[in-house]
Short mmCIF file of all heavy atoms in Angstrom, two decimals:
data_model
loop_
_atom_site.label_atom_id
_atom_site.label_comp_id
_atom_site.label_asym_id
_atom_site.label_seq_id
_atom_site.Cartn_x
_atom_site.Cartn_y
_atom_site.Cartn_z
N MET A 1 -3.83 -7.53 -16.37
CA MET A 1 -4.34 -6.18 -16.12
C MET A 1 -5.14 -6.17 -14.82
O MET A 1 -6.17 -6.82 -14.72
CB MET A 1 -5.24 -5.77 -17.30
CG MET A 1 -5.52 -4.31 -17.39
SD MET A 1 -4.09 -3.31 -17.82
CE MET A 1 -3.87 -3.75 -19.55
N VAL A 2 -4.66 -5.45 -13.81
CA VAL A 2 -5.35 -5.46 -12.51
C VAL A 2 -6.65 -4.67 -12.58
O VAL A 2 -6.90 -3.92 -13.53
CB VAL A 2 -4.45 -4.87 -11.39
CG1 VAL A 2 -3.17 -5.68 -11.26
CG2 VAL A 2 -4.15 -3.40 -11.64
N SER A 3 -7.47 -4.85 -11.57
CA SER A 3 -8.74 -4.14 -11.49
C SER A 3 -8.62 -2.92 -10.59
O SER A 3 -7.74 -2.87 -9.71
CB SER A 3 -9.84 -5.07 -10.96
OG SER A 3 -10.04 -6.14 -11.85
N VAL A 4 -9.50 -1.95 -10.79
CA VAL A 4 -9.54 -0.74 -9.96
C VAL A 4 -11.00 -0.40 -9.63
O VAL A 4 -11.92 -0.80 -10.35
CB VAL A 4 -8.88 0.48 -10.65
CG1 VAL A 4 -7.39 0.25 -10.84
CG2 VAL A 4 -9.54 0.78 -11.99
N VAL A 5 -11.18 0.34 -8.53
CA VAL A 5 -12.51 0.78 -8.10
C VAL A 5 -12.64 2.27 -8.35
O VAL A 5 -11.72 3.04 -8.03
CB VAL A 5 -12.72 0.50 -6.60
CG1 VAL A 5 -14.14 0.90 -6.17
CG2 VAL A 5 -12.46 -0.98 -6.28
N ASN A 6 -13.77 2.69 -8.89
CA ASN A 6 -13.99 4.13 -9.09
C ASN A 6 -14.91 4.69 -8.01
O ASN A 6 -15.38 3.97 -7.12
CB ASN A 6 -14.52 4.42 -10.50
CG ASN A 6 -15.90 3.85 -10.75
OD1 ASN A 6 -16.78 3.94 -9.90
ND2 ASN A 6 -16.09 3.27 -11.93
N ASP A 7 -15.19 5.99 -8.09
CA ASP A 7 -15.93 6.66 -7.00
C ASP A 7 -17.43 6.39 -7.00
O ASP A 7 -18.17 7.00 -6.23
CB ASP A 7 -15.61 8.16 -6.97
CG ASP A 7 -16.03 8.88 -8.24
OD1 ASP A 7 -16.69 8.27 -9.10
OD2 ASP A 7 -15.68 10.08 -8.37
N SER A 8 -17.89 5.46 -7.83
CA SER A 8 -19.29 5.03 -7.75
C SER A 8 -19.51 4.05 -6.60
O SER A 8 -20.66 3.75 -6.25
CB SER A 8 -19.70 4.34 -9.05
OG SER A 8 -19.58 5.20 -10.15
N CYS A 9 -18.43 3.56 -6.02
CA CYS A 9 -18.51 2.56 -4.95
C CYS A 9 -19.38 3.04 -3.79
O CYS A 9 -19.24 4.16 -3.33
CB CYS A 9 -17.10 2.26 -4.45
SG CYS A 9 -17.03 1.19 -2.99
N ILE A 10 -20.26 2.14 -3.33
CA ILE A 10 -21.15 2.45 -2.20
C ILE A 10 -20.73 1.65 -0.94
O ILE A 10 -21.49 1.57 0.02
CB ILE A 10 -22.62 2.16 -2.54
CG1 ILE A 10 -22.81 0.70 -3.00
CG2 ILE A 10 -23.11 3.13 -3.63
CD1 ILE A 10 -24.27 0.28 -3.18
N LYS A 11 -19.54 1.04 -0.99
CA LYS A 11 -18.99 0.31 0.15
C LYS A 11 -19.92 -0.80 0.65
O LYS A 11 -20.07 -1.00 1.86
CB LYS A 11 -18.63 1.27 1.29
CG LYS A 11 -17.53 2.26 0.88
CD LYS A 11 -17.09 3.16 2.01
CE LYS A 11 -15.99 2.54 2.83
NZ LYS A 11 -15.41 3.51 3.80
N CYS A 12 -20.52 -1.53 -0.28
CA CYS A 12 -21.39 -2.64 0.11
C CYS A 12 -20.59 -3.86 0.57
O CYS A 12 -21.12 -4.77 1.19
CB CYS A 12 -22.30 -3.04 -1.05
SG CYS A 12 -21.43 -3.88 -2.41
N ARG A 13 -19.31 -3.91 0.19
CA ARG A 13 -18.36 -4.95 0.61
C ARG A 13 -18.54 -6.29 -0.10
O ARG A 13 -17.89 -7.28 0.28
CB ARG A 13 -18.37 -5.15 2.13
CG ARG A 13 -18.08 -3.89 2.91
CD ARG A 13 -17.98 -4.16 4.40
NE ARG A 13 -16.76 -4.84 4.74
CZ ARG A 13 -15.61 -4.22 5.01
NH1 ARG A 13 -15.54 -2.92 4.97
NH2 ARG A 13 -14.53 -4.91 5.30
N THR A 14 -19.39 -6.39 -1.08
CA THR A 14 -19.52 -7.66 -1.82
C THR A 14 -18.19 -8.08 -2.42
O THR A 14 -17.81 -9.26 -2.35
CB THR A 14 -20.58 -7.51 -2.94
OG1 THR A 14 -21.83 -7.18 -2.36
CG2 THR A 14 -20.71 -8.80 -3.74
N CYS A 15 -17.48 -7.15 -2.99
CA CYS A 15 -16.19 -7.47 -3.61
C CYS A 15 -15.19 -8.03 -2.60
O CYS A 15 -14.38 -8.90 -2.94
CB CYS A 15 -15.60 -6.22 -4.26
SG CYS A 15 -15.45 -4.82 -3.11
N VAL A 16 -15.25 -7.52 -1.40
CA VAL A 16 -14.31 -7.94 -0.36
C VAL A 16 -14.45 -9.44 -0.10
O VAL A 16 -13.46 -10.15 0.07
CB VAL A 16 -14.56 -7.15 0.95
CG1 VAL A 16 -13.65 -7.64 2.06
CG2 VAL A 16 -14.36 -5.66 0.70
N SER A 17 -15.68 -9.92 -0.13
CA SER A 17 -15.92 -11.33 0.18
C SER A 17 -15.58 -12.27 -0.98
O SER A 17 -15.37 -13.46 -0.76
CB SER A 17 -17.37 -11.54 0.63
OG SER A 17 -18.26 -11.20 -0.40
N VAL A 18 -15.52 -11.76 -2.20
CA VAL A 18 -15.25 -12.66 -3.33
C VAL A 18 -13.80 -12.66 -3.78
O VAL A 18 -13.36 -13.57 -4.50
CB VAL A 18 -16.15 -12.34 -4.55
CG1 VAL A 18 -17.63 -12.47 -4.18
CG2 VAL A 18 -15.85 -10.99 -5.15
N CYS A 19 -13.02 -11.68 -3.38
CA CYS A 19 -11.62 -11.60 -3.84
C CYS A 19 -10.79 -12.72 -3.21
O CYS A 19 -10.71 -12.83 -1.99
CB CYS A 19 -11.02 -10.25 -3.49
SG CYS A 19 -9.29 -10.12 -4.01
N PRO A 20 -10.14 -13.54 -4.03
CA PRO A 20 -9.38 -14.68 -3.50
C PRO A 20 -8.06 -14.31 -2.83
O PRO A 20 -7.45 -15.15 -2.16
CB PRO A 20 -9.13 -15.55 -4.74
CG PRO A 20 -9.10 -14.57 -5.87
CD PRO A 20 -10.13 -13.51 -5.50
N VAL A 21 -7.61 -13.07 -3.02
CA VAL A 21 -6.30 -12.69 -2.49
C VAL A 21 -6.36 -11.49 -1.53
O VAL A 21 -5.33 -10.88 -1.20
CB VAL A 21 -5.29 -12.40 -3.63
CG1 VAL A 21 -4.97 -13.68 -4.40
CG2 VAL A 21 -5.80 -11.31 -4.56
N ASP A 22 -7.57 -11.12 -1.10
CA ASP A 22 -7.75 -10.01 -0.15
C ASP A 22 -7.08 -8.71 -0.63
O ASP A 22 -6.33 -8.07 0.12
CB ASP A 22 -7.22 -10.37 1.24
CG ASP A 22 -7.98 -11.54 1.86
OD1 ASP A 22 -9.02 -11.92 1.31
OD2 ASP A 22 -7.53 -12.05 2.90
N ALA A 23 -7.36 -8.34 -1.87
CA ALA A 23 -6.71 -7.17 -2.46
C ALA A 23 -7.41 -5.85 -2.14
O ALA A 23 -6.88 -4.78 -2.44
CB ALA A 23 -6.64 -7.33 -3.98
N PHE A 24 -8.58 -5.91 -1.52
CA PHE A 24 -9.33 -4.67 -1.27
C PHE A 24 -8.90 -3.98 0.01
O PHE A 24 -8.69 -4.63 1.05
CB PHE A 24 -10.84 -4.97 -1.21
CG PHE A 24 -11.42 -5.22 -2.58
CD1 PHE A 24 -11.40 -6.49 -3.13
CD2 PHE A 24 -11.93 -4.17 -3.34
CE1 PHE A 24 -11.91 -6.73 -4.40
CE2 PHE A 24 -12.44 -4.39 -4.61
CZ PHE A 24 -12.42 -5.67 -5.14
N HIS A 25 -8.79 -2.67 -0.08
CA HIS A 25 -8.51 -1.83 1.08
C HIS A 25 -9.66 -0.83 1.21
O HIS A 25 -10.31 -0.48 0.21
CB HIS A 25 -7.18 -1.09 0.92
CG HIS A 25 -6.00 -2.01 1.04
ND1 HIS A 25 -5.08 -1.92 2.08
CD2 HIS A 25 -5.59 -3.05 0.26
CE1 HIS A 25 -4.16 -2.87 1.93
NE2 HIS A 25 -4.43 -3.55 0.83
N GLU A 26 -9.89 -0.39 2.45
CA GLU A 26 -11.02 0.50 2.70
C GLU A 26 -10.55 1.93 2.85
O GLU A 26 -9.98 2.32 3.88
CB GLU A 26 -11.78 0.04 3.95
CG GLU A 26 -13.05 0.85 4.17
CD GLU A 26 -13.98 0.22 5.18
OE1 GLU A 26 -13.65 -0.87 5.72
OE2 GLU A 26 -15.04 0.82 5.44
N ALA A 27 -10.80 2.75 1.84
CA ALA A 27 -10.51 4.18 1.91
C ALA A 27 -11.71 4.88 2.53
O ALA A 27 -12.73 4.26 2.83
CB ALA A 27 -10.21 4.72 0.52
N GLU A 28 -11.60 6.19 2.72
CA GLU A 28 -12.65 6.90 3.45
C GLU A 28 -14.02 6.79 2.77
O GLU A 28 -15.02 6.50 3.41
CB GLU A 28 -12.26 8.37 3.59
CG GLU A 28 -13.18 9.13 4.51
CD GLU A 28 -12.66 10.52 4.83
OE1 GLU A 28 -11.47 10.80 4.58
OE2 GLU A 28 -13.47 11.33 5.32
N ALA A 29 -14.08 7.00 1.46
CA ALA A 29 -15.37 7.06 0.78
C ALA A 29 -15.62 5.89 -0.16
O ALA A 29 -16.71 5.78 -0.74
CB ALA A 29 -15.48 8.37 0.01
N GLN A 30 -14.64 5.02 -0.34
CA GLN A 30 -14.81 3.90 -1.28
C GLN A 30 -13.76 2.83 -1.00
O GLN A 30 -12.78 3.08 -0.31
CB GLN A 30 -14.64 4.40 -2.72
CG GLN A 30 -13.20 4.86 -3.04
CD GLN A 30 -12.98 5.16 -4.50
OE1 GLN A 30 -13.26 6.26 -4.96
NE2 GLN A 30 -12.48 4.17 -5.23
N MET A 31 -13.98 1.68 -1.58
CA MET A 31 -12.96 0.64 -1.56
C MET A 31 -11.93 0.96 -2.65
O MET A 31 -12.24 1.62 -3.65
CB MET A 31 -13.59 -0.72 -1.85
CG MET A 31 -14.56 -1.19 -0.79
SD MET A 31 -13.81 -1.33 0.83
CE MET A 31 -15.28 -1.70 1.81
N VAL A 32 -10.72 0.44 -2.47
CA VAL A 32 -9.69 0.51 -3.51
C VAL A 32 -9.04 -0.86 -3.60
O VAL A 32 -9.15 -1.68 -2.68
CB VAL A 32 -8.62 1.59 -3.21
CG1 VAL A 32 -9.23 2.99 -3.26
CG2 VAL A 32 -7.94 1.34 -1.88
N ILE A 33 -8.33 -1.10 -4.69
CA ILE A 33 -7.65 -2.38 -4.91
C ILE A 33 -6.14 -2.14 -4.94
O ILE A 33 -5.66 -1.25 -5.65
CB ILE A 33 -8.12 -3.02 -6.23
CG1 ILE A 33 -9.60 -3.39 -6.14
CG2 ILE A 33 -7.27 -4.25 -6.57
CD1 ILE A 33 -10.21 -3.84 -7.46
N ASP A 34 -5.42 -2.97 -4.18
CA ASP A 34 -3.96 -2.89 -4.20
C ASP A 34 -3.43 -3.55 -5.48
O ASP A 34 -3.59 -4.76 -5.66
CB ASP A 34 -3.40 -3.62 -2.97
CG ASP A 34 -1.88 -3.51 -2.86
OD1 ASP A 34 -1.24 -3.10 -3.84
OD2 ASP A 34 -1.36 -3.86 -1.78
N PRO A 35 -2.82 -2.76 -6.36
CA PRO A 35 -2.35 -3.33 -7.64
C PRO A 35 -1.22 -4.34 -7.47
O PRO A 35 -0.96 -5.13 -8.37
CB PRO A 35 -1.89 -2.10 -8.42
CG PRO A 35 -1.53 -1.10 -7.37
CD PRO A 35 -2.51 -1.34 -6.24
N ASP A 36 -0.56 -4.31 -6.31
CA ASP A 36 0.53 -5.27 -6.08
C ASP A 36 0.00 -6.61 -5.57
O ASP A 36 0.75 -7.59 -5.50
CB ASP A 36 1.53 -4.70 -5.07
CG ASP A 36 2.25 -3.48 -5.60
OD1 ASP A 36 2.43 -3.39 -6.83
OD2 ASP A 36 2.62 -2.61 -4.79
N THR A 37 -1.28 -6.63 -5.19
CA THR A 37 -1.88 -7.87 -4.66
C THR A 37 -2.85 -8.50 -5.65
O THR A 37 -2.93 -9.72 -5.78
CB THR A 37 -2.63 -7.58 -3.34
OG1 THR A 37 -1.74 -6.96 -2.42
CG2 THR A 37 -3.20 -8.86 -2.74
N CYS A 38 -3.60 -7.68 -6.37
CA CYS A 38 -4.61 -8.16 -7.34
C CYS A 38 -3.96 -9.08 -8.37
O CYS A 38 -2.92 -8.76 -8.94
CB CYS A 38 -5.24 -6.96 -8.03
SG CYS A 38 -6.44 -7.39 -9.32
N ILE A 39 -4.60 -10.23 -8.61
CA ILE A 39 -4.09 -11.18 -9.60
C ILE A 39 -4.90 -11.12 -10.90
O ILE A 39 -4.78 -12.00 -11.75
CB ILE A 39 -4.08 -12.62 -9.05
CG1 ILE A 39 -5.48 -13.05 -8.58
CG2 ILE A 39 -3.06 -12.74 -7.91
CD1 ILE A 39 -5.59 -14.53 -8.22
N ALA A 40 -5.73 -10.09 -11.01
CA ALA A 40 -6.47 -9.85 -12.26
C ALA A 40 -7.39 -11.00 -12.64
O ALA A 40 -7.55 -11.30 -13.82
CB ALA A 40 -5.51 -9.51 -13.40
N CYS A 41 -8.01 -11.63 -11.63
CA CYS A 41 -8.92 -12.74 -11.93
C CYS A 41 -10.24 -12.25 -12.51
O CYS A 41 -10.94 -13.00 -13.18
CB CYS A 41 -9.17 -13.58 -10.68
SG CYS A 41 -10.21 -12.77 -9.45
N GLY A 42 -10.60 -11.01 -12.20
CA GLY A 42 -11.81 -10.41 -12.76
C GLY A 42 -13.10 -10.77 -12.05
O GLY A 42 -14.16 -10.27 -12.41
N VAL A 43 -13.04 -11.61 -11.03
CA VAL A 43 -14.26 -12.06 -10.34
C VAL A 43 -15.06 -10.90 -9.77
O VAL A 43 -16.29 -10.86 -9.85
CB VAL A 43 -13.90 -13.06 -9.22
CG1 VAL A 43 -15.09 -13.31 -8.30
CG2 VAL A 43 -13.42 -14.37 -9.83
N CYS A 44 -14.39 -9.93 -9.18
CA CYS A 44 -15.09 -8.83 -8.51
C CYS A 44 -15.86 -7.92 -9.48
O CYS A 44 -16.84 -7.30 -9.10
CB CYS A 44 -14.09 -7.99 -7.72
SG CYS A 44 -12.75 -7.30 -8.73
N ILE A 45 -15.41 -7.85 -10.72
CA ILE A 45 -16.02 -6.90 -11.67
C ILE A 45 -17.51 -7.16 -11.85
O ILE A 45 -18.33 -6.25 -11.76
CB ILE A 45 -15.28 -6.95 -13.02
CG1 ILE A 45 -13.84 -6.45 -12.85
CG2 ILE A 45 -16.02 -6.13 -14.08
CD1 ILE A 45 -12.98 -6.56 -14.10
N SER A 46 -17.88 -8.41 -12.06
CA SER A 46 -19.28 -8.72 -12.29
C SER A 46 -20.10 -8.78 -11.01
O SER A 46 -21.33 -8.74 -11.04
CB SER A 46 -19.41 -10.04 -13.05
OG SER A 46 -18.78 -11.08 -12.33
N GLU A 47 -19.42 -8.85 -9.86
CA GLU A 47 -20.14 -8.93 -8.58
C GLU A 47 -20.57 -7.56 -8.06
O GLU A 47 -21.47 -7.45 -7.24
CB GLU A 47 -19.25 -9.59 -7.53
CG GLU A 47 -18.93 -11.05 -7.80
CD GLU A 47 -20.14 -11.96 -7.62
OE1 GLU A 47 -21.02 -11.63 -6.83
OE2 GLU A 47 -20.18 -13.00 -8.30
N CYS A 48 -19.94 -6.49 -8.52
CA CYS A 48 -20.26 -5.17 -7.99
C CYS A 48 -21.64 -4.70 -8.48
O CYS A 48 -21.87 -4.63 -9.68
CB CYS A 48 -19.20 -4.16 -8.42
SG CYS A 48 -19.56 -2.49 -7.83
N PRO A 49 -22.53 -4.35 -7.55
CA PRO A 49 -23.90 -3.99 -7.93
C PRO A 49 -24.01 -2.64 -8.63
O PRO A 49 -25.04 -2.35 -9.25
CB PRO A 49 -24.65 -3.98 -6.59
CG PRO A 49 -23.60 -3.67 -5.59
CD PRO A 49 -22.35 -4.35 -6.09
N VAL A 50 -22.98 -1.82 -8.53
CA VAL A 50 -23.05 -0.49 -9.16
C VAL A 50 -21.98 -0.30 -10.24
O VAL A 50 -21.68 0.82 -10.64
CB VAL A 50 -22.94 0.63 -8.09
CG1 VAL A 50 -24.14 0.60 -7.16
CG2 VAL A 50 -21.63 0.51 -7.29
N SER A 51 -21.40 -1.41 -10.68
CA SER A 51 -20.39 -1.37 -11.75
C SER A 51 -19.25 -0.39 -11.45
O SER A 51 -18.81 0.35 -12.34
CB SER A 51 -21.04 -1.02 -13.09
OG SER A 51 -22.01 -1.98 -13.43
N ALA A 52 -18.80 -0.42 -10.21
CA ALA A 52 -17.72 0.50 -9.81
C ALA A 52 -16.33 -0.07 -10.09
O ALA A 52 -15.34 0.63 -9.93
CB ALA A 52 -17.85 0.83 -8.33
N ILE A 53 -16.26 -1.35 -10.47
CA ILE A 53 -14.95 -1.99 -10.67
C ILE A 53 -14.73 -2.26 -12.15
O ILE A 53 -15.65 -2.71 -12.85
CB ILE A 53 -14.85 -3.32 -9.89
CG1 ILE A 53 -15.31 -3.15 -8.45
CG2 ILE A 53 -13.42 -3.85 -9.95
CD1 ILE A 53 -15.37 -4.45 -7.65
N SER A 54 -13.53 -1.97 -12.60
CA SER A 54 -13.18 -2.26 -14.00
C SER A 54 -11.71 -2.64 -14.08
O SER A 54 -10.95 -2.46 -13.13
CB SER A 54 -13.43 -1.04 -14.89
OG SER A 54 -12.48 -0.02 -14.61
N SER A 55 -11.33 -3.13 -15.23
CA SER A 55 -9.92 -3.33 -15.51
C SER A 55 -9.27 -1.95 -15.57
O SER A 55 -9.90 -0.97 -15.97
CB SER A 55 -9.79 -4.05 -16.85
OG SER A 55 -8.44 -4.16 -17.22
N GLU A 56 -8.00 -1.86 -15.18
CA GLU A 56 -7.36 -0.54 -15.13
C GLU A 56 -7.28 0.12 -16.51
O GLU A 56 -7.26 1.34 -16.61
CB GLU A 56 -5.98 -0.62 -14.49
CG GLU A 56 -4.96 -1.42 -15.26
CD GLU A 56 -3.58 -1.39 -14.59
OE1 GLU A 56 -3.32 -0.51 -13.76
OE2 GLU A 56 -2.78 -2.27 -14.92
N ASP A 57 -7.27 -0.67 -17.56
CA ASP A 57 -7.18 -0.06 -18.90
C ASP A 57 -8.50 0.58 -19.33
O ASP A 57 -8.55 1.31 -20.32
CB ASP A 57 -6.70 -1.07 -19.94
CG ASP A 57 -7.64 -2.24 -20.13
OD1 ASP A 57 -8.44 -2.51 -19.21
OD2 ASP A 57 -7.57 -2.89 -21.18
N GLU A 58 -9.57 0.32 -18.57
CA GLU A 58 -10.86 0.94 -18.87
C GLU A 58 -11.18 2.07 -17.88
O GLU A 58 -12.27 2.64 -17.93
CB GLU A 58 -11.96 -0.12 -18.84
CG GLU A 58 -11.81 -1.12 -19.98
CD GLU A 58 -12.76 -2.30 -19.86
OE1 GLU A 58 -13.42 -2.44 -18.80
OE2 GLU A 58 -12.83 -3.08 -20.82
N ALA A 59 -10.25 2.38 -16.99
CA ALA A 59 -10.46 3.44 -16.00
C ALA A 59 -9.61 4.66 -16.34
O ALA A 59 -8.62 4.55 -17.08
CB ALA A 59 -10.10 2.92 -14.62
N ASP A 60 -9.98 5.81 -15.78
CA ASP A 60 -9.16 7.00 -16.04
C ASP A 60 -7.90 6.97 -15.17
O ASP A 60 -7.82 6.25 -14.17
CB ASP A 60 -9.96 8.29 -15.87
CG ASP A 60 -10.54 8.45 -14.48
OD1 ASP A 60 -9.80 8.26 -13.50
OD2 ASP A 60 -11.73 8.77 -14.39
N ALA A 61 -6.93 7.73 -15.56
CA ALA A 61 -5.62 7.71 -14.90
C ALA A 61 -5.72 8.10 -13.43
O ALA A 61 -4.99 7.56 -12.59
CB ALA A 61 -4.65 8.63 -15.63
N ALA A 62 -6.61 9.03 -13.12
CA ALA A 62 -6.76 9.47 -11.74
C ALA A 62 -7.27 8.33 -10.86
O ALA A 62 -6.84 8.17 -9.72
CB ALA A 62 -7.71 10.66 -11.67
N THR A 63 -8.18 7.53 -11.38
CA THR A 63 -8.70 6.39 -10.63
C THR A 63 -7.62 5.35 -10.41
O THR A 63 -7.49 4.80 -9.30
CB THR A 63 -9.90 5.77 -11.39
OG1 THR A 63 -10.96 6.71 -11.44
CG2 THR A 63 -10.39 4.49 -10.71
N VAL A 64 -6.83 5.08 -11.41
CA VAL A 64 -5.74 4.11 -11.29
C VAL A 64 -4.74 4.59 -10.23
O VAL A 64 -4.33 3.81 -9.35
CB VAL A 64 -5.04 3.91 -12.65
CG1 VAL A 64 -3.80 3.02 -12.50
CG2 VAL A 64 -6.01 3.31 -13.66
N ALA A 65 -4.39 5.86 -10.26
CA ALA A 65 -3.45 6.41 -9.30
C ALA A 65 -4.04 6.41 -7.88
O ALA A 65 -3.34 6.08 -6.91
CB ALA A 65 -3.07 7.84 -9.70
N PHE A 66 -5.31 6.75 -7.77
CA PHE A 66 -5.97 6.79 -6.46
C PHE A 66 -5.96 5.41 -5.81
O PHE A 66 -5.68 5.28 -4.60
CB PHE A 66 -7.41 7.29 -6.63
CG PHE A 66 -8.15 7.47 -5.34
CD1 PHE A 66 -7.97 8.60 -4.56
CD2 PHE A 66 -9.05 6.49 -4.90
CE1 PHE A 66 -8.66 8.76 -3.35
CE2 PHE A 66 -9.74 6.63 -3.70
CZ PHE A 66 -9.55 7.77 -2.93
N ASN A 67 -6.28 4.37 -6.55
CA ASN A 67 -6.27 3.01 -6.01
C ASN A 67 -4.88 2.65 -5.49
O ASN A 67 -4.73 2.14 -4.38
CB ASN A 67 -6.74 2.00 -7.05
CG ASN A 67 -8.25 1.89 -7.15
OD1 ASN A 67 -8.84 0.87 -6.83
ND2 ASN A 67 -8.92 2.95 -7.60
N ALA A 68 -3.85 2.91 -6.27
CA ALA A 68 -2.49 2.55 -5.87
C ALA A 68 -2.05 3.32 -4.63
O ALA A 68 -1.45 2.75 -3.70
CB ALA A 68 -1.54 2.82 -7.02
N GLU A 69 -2.37 4.61 -4.58
CA GLU A 69 -1.95 5.45 -3.46
C GLU A 69 -2.71 5.09 -2.18
O GLU A 69 -2.11 4.94 -1.11
CB GLU A 69 -2.20 6.93 -3.79
CG GLU A 69 -1.29 7.46 -4.89
CD GLU A 69 -1.81 8.76 -5.51
OE1 GLU A 69 -2.80 9.33 -5.00
OE2 GLU A 69 -1.22 9.18 -6.53
N GLN A 70 -4.02 4.96 -2.28
CA GLN A 70 -4.83 4.71 -1.08
C GLN A 70 -4.62 3.29 -0.54
O GLN A 70 -4.71 3.08 0.67
CB GLN A 70 -6.31 4.95 -1.40
CG GLN A 70 -6.66 6.41 -1.66
CD GLN A 70 -6.49 7.27 -0.43
OE1 GLN A 70 -7.05 6.99 0.62
NE2 GLN A 70 -5.67 8.30 -0.53
N ALA A 71 -4.35 2.34 -1.41
CA ALA A 71 -4.12 0.97 -0.94
C ALA A 71 -2.90 0.90 -0.03
O ALA A 71 -2.84 0.05 0.87
CB ALA A 71 -3.94 0.03 -2.13
N LYS A 72 -1.96 1.80 -0.23
CA LYS A 72 -0.75 1.82 0.60
C LYS A 72 -1.01 2.35 2.01
O LYS A 72 -0.30 1.99 2.95
CB LYS A 72 0.34 2.68 -0.06
CG LYS A 72 1.03 2.02 -1.23
CD LYS A 72 2.24 2.87 -1.67
CE LYS A 72 3.06 2.16 -2.73
NZ LYS A 72 2.31 1.94 -3.99
N VAL A 73 -1.99 3.22 2.14
CA VAL A 73 -2.19 3.91 3.43
C VAL A 73 -3.48 3.53 4.16
O VAL A 73 -3.67 3.90 5.31
CB VAL A 73 -2.13 5.45 3.24
CG1 VAL A 73 -0.75 5.86 2.75
CG2 VAL A 73 -3.20 5.95 2.27
N CYS A 74 -4.38 2.81 3.49
CA CYS A 74 -5.66 2.46 4.12
C CYS A 74 -5.65 0.99 4.53
O CYS A 74 -5.00 0.17 3.89
CB CYS A 74 -6.80 2.70 3.14
SG CYS A 74 -7.00 4.45 2.73
N PRO A 75 -6.39 0.64 5.58
CA PRO A 75 -6.38 -0.73 6.08
C PRO A 75 -6.97 -1.73 5.09
O PRO A 75 -7.88 -1.40 4.32
CB PRO A 75 -7.25 -0.65 7.35
CG PRO A 75 -8.09 0.56 7.16
CD PRO A 75 -7.27 1.52 6.36
N ASN A 76 -6.44 -2.96 5.14
CA ASN A 76 -7.02 -4.01 4.32
C ASN A 76 -8.47 -4.22 4.75
O ASN A 76 -8.79 -4.22 5.94
CB ASN A 76 -6.22 -5.32 4.50
CG ASN A 76 -6.63 -6.37 3.48
OD1 ASN A 76 -7.70 -6.98 3.62
ND2 ASN A 76 -5.81 -6.57 2.48
N ALA A 77 -9.36 -4.39 3.79
CA ALA A 77 -10.79 -4.51 4.09
C ALA A 77 -11.13 -5.79 4.82
O ALA A 77 -12.23 -5.91 5.36
CB ALA A 77 -11.58 -4.40 2.80
N ASN A 78 -10.21 -6.74 4.85
CA ASN A 78 -10.45 -8.00 5.57
C ASN A 78 -9.94 -7.94 7.00
O ASN A 78 -10.15 -8.89 7.77
CB ASN A 78 -9.80 -9.17 4.83
CG ASN A 78 -10.47 -9.47 3.52
OD1 ASN A 78 -10.09 -8.90 2.49
ND2 ASN A 78 -11.48 -10.30 3.54
N ASP A 79 -9.26 -6.87 7.37
CA ASP A 79 -8.71 -6.77 8.73
C ASP A 79 -9.80 -6.42 9.73
O ASP A 79 -10.81 -5.82 9.39
CB ASP A 79 -7.60 -5.72 8.78
CG ASP A 79 -6.34 -6.22 8.09
OD1 ASP A 79 -6.28 -7.43 7.77
OD2 ASP A 79 -5.45 -5.40 7.87
S1 LIG B 101 -18.88 -4.42 -4.69
FE1 LIG B 101 -18.70 -2.42 -5.72
S2 LIG B 101 -19.94 -1.01 -4.49
FE2 LIG B 101 -19.61 -2.82 -3.25
S3 LIG B 101 -17.79 -2.28 -2.02
FE3 LIG B 101 -17.06 -3.38 -3.84
S4 LIG B 101 -16.57 -1.79 -5.33
FE4 LIG B 101 -17.85 -0.85 -3.75
S1 LIG B 102 -9.67 -8.92 -10.03
FE1 LIG B 102 -9.65 -10.74 -8.68
S2 LIG B 102 -7.77 -10.50 -7.47
FE2 LIG B 102 -8.21 -8.50 -8.38
S3 LIG B 102 -9.38 -7.41 -6.82
FE3 LIG B 102 -10.86 -8.41 -8.19
S4 LIG B 102 -11.31 -10.39 -7.21
FE4 LIG B 102 -9.43 -9.59 -6.28
#
């Protein structure tokens, strides 16, 4: 089960530095996770200071869709 970021994200970038596969992309107002890259390790979930990251089964459908859509069009956060 991949992880997703919700709109509580404050773009602190902590998650970007801990993800082993560079799955984070930078959207205009928040980070998002590419579901095709995330390996569901779960490391980022506990690192987020505002609890903006969860497993996709604990997020609403709009958040899951937003992550997938924005990850395709927004730059990788490690670039
Ligand atoms: S750690 Fe949380 S608040 Fe910080 S950029 Fe990542 S998702 Fe956003
Ligand atoms: S669950 Fe693991 S692979 Fe997926 S975004 Fe978080 S740190 Fe990266």
Side-chain angles (χ1 to χ4, degrees):
M1 197 68 72
V2 301
S3 297
V4 294
V5 182
N6 66 43
D7 62 7
S8 300
C9 173
I10 56 172
K11 297 184 88 171
C12 72
R13 304 185 73 87
T14 299
C15 55
V16 176
S17 63
V18 301
C19 179
V21 293
D22 297 350
F24 285 87
H25 288 246
E26 186 166 359
E28 189 171 345
Q30 67 172 85
M31 295 300 174
V32 294
I33 295 171
D34 183 347
D36 295 330
T37 305
C38 177
I39 57 171
C41 72
V43 168
C44 58
I45 294 175
S46 58
E47 294 290 332
C48 179
V50 294
S51 300
I53 312 174
S54 71
S55 175
E56 65 177 341
D57 63 339
E58 293 171 351
D60 59 48
T63 295
V64 174
F66 184 80
N67 277 247
E69 292 162 8
Q70 292 294 305
K72 284 189 173 63
V73 297
C74 295
N76 190 284
N78 291 90
D79 287 349

